Amino acid sequence: MAITKLDAIKSLHPTAELVMVEDEIKEWHSEEITQPTDAEITAEQNKLQTEYDNNAYQRNRAAEYPSIPDQLDEIYHNGIDSWKAVIKTTKDKYPKP
């Protein structure tokens, strides 16, 4: 996922009101908030992209973990140690960076 300029601006100033056309700020309607510079926006985009990239393991794990009902069923029928083994398989496949 690519972080857009609007994503970066909303991260810097969540309440900012603005108009963007083709990835450029055309109107800034938040007089109490200073409009960020292009350098500030780019720096925030880079920061957000790095955070997103570094958390890929979380998204990958979430997609592969069994559903909560299946996990509870595993615990009920086979015990906590068996459940831990099932979960560990996914954690080992997608380790934290």
Side-chain angles (χ1 to χ4, degrees):
M1 176 177 114
I3 304 298
T4 66
K5 281 187 172 184
L6 184 58
D7 294 330
I9 293 166
K10 287 300 186 179
S11 175
L12 290 167
H13 303 296
T15 61
E17 295 179 14
L18 63 142
V19 175
M20 289 191 74
V21 177
E22 297 181 10
D23 220 23
E24 294 298 323
I25 299 172
K26 294 297 180 183
E27 297 176 26
W28 187 261
H29 298 288
S30 299
E31 293 179 16
E32 69 282 356
I33 302 170
T34 304
Q35 181 175 329
T37 64
D38 285 339
E40 290 170 328
I41 294 169
T42 299
E44 188 69 8
Q45 278 181 285
N46 293 336
K47 181 189 105 178
L48 294 173
Q49 189 67 55
T50 298
E51 289 173 2
Y52 180 82
D53 294 344
N54 288 345
N55 291 325
Y57 79 95
Q58 292 174 341
R59 294 185 300 280
N60 292 333
R61 284 180 179 182
E64 287 201 25
Y65 282 141
S67 68
I68 296 299
D70 287 345
Q71 289 184 46
L72 291 173
D73 202 44
E74 179 70 28
I75 292 168
Y76 179 79
H77 290 289
N78 302 311
I80 293 290
D81 289 336
S82 176
W83 169 79
K84 284 181 179 180
V86 169
I87 296 303
K88 187 172 181 343
T89 302
T90 301
K91 286 184 175 283
D92 289 346
K93 185 175 179 180
Y94 301 109
K96 286 184 181 180

